[in-house]
Amino acid sequence: EHIPVSLRSLKISDCSGGQKQKVLMLTRLQTQGSVLILDEPFNHVDDSTILELIEFFIELISAETLKAIIVVSHIDIPEKFKQHFKVYQL
């Protein structure tokens, strides 16, 4: 339901790294509820993909598809993410 039409017809092997992230997250949301737990979501993706993912999270929160995002990361959380979400660092 939430997977963009542009991604529905692609084989997972044909998707970019960011597209794979989106599909996997949406699939998990459809089966697991409204909290998304992400382990190192910004590792091994380029800066433009990081920004795409953050915009994607903002859309999910705005549409009330998603209630919370828990991110585990050893790298700095991007500033744009911090601007839109409450960030607690341990």
Side-chain angles (χ1 to χ4, degrees), residues 16-83:
S16 69
Q19 290 172 323
K20 287 178 186 175
Q21 290 265 40
K22 288 180 185 179
V23 170
L24 292 172
M25 285 183 238
L26 285 170
T27 302
R28 180 66 64 190
L29 277 173
Q30 288 179 333
T31 60
Q32 298 286 319
S34 61
V35 176
L36 192 58
I37 300 173
L38 304 172
D39 185 17
E40 304 288 352
F42 305 120
N43 283 7
H44 308 294
V45 291
D46 60 31
D47 290 341
S48 64
T49 302
I50 289 172
L51 292 176
E52 273 184 47
L53 289 171
I54 292 170
E55 290 295 328
F56 180 60
F57 298 149
I58 293 167
E59 288 175 29
L60 291 174
I61 292 283
S62 297
E64 297 184 5
T65 301
L66 189 60
K67 301 295 181 200
I69 302 171
I70 299 170
V71 175
V72 176
S73 182
H74 291 93
I75 64 170
D76 288 334
I77 300 296
E79 196 59 40
K80 185 167 185 171
F81 191 88
K82 291 179 184 178
Q83 291 170 355

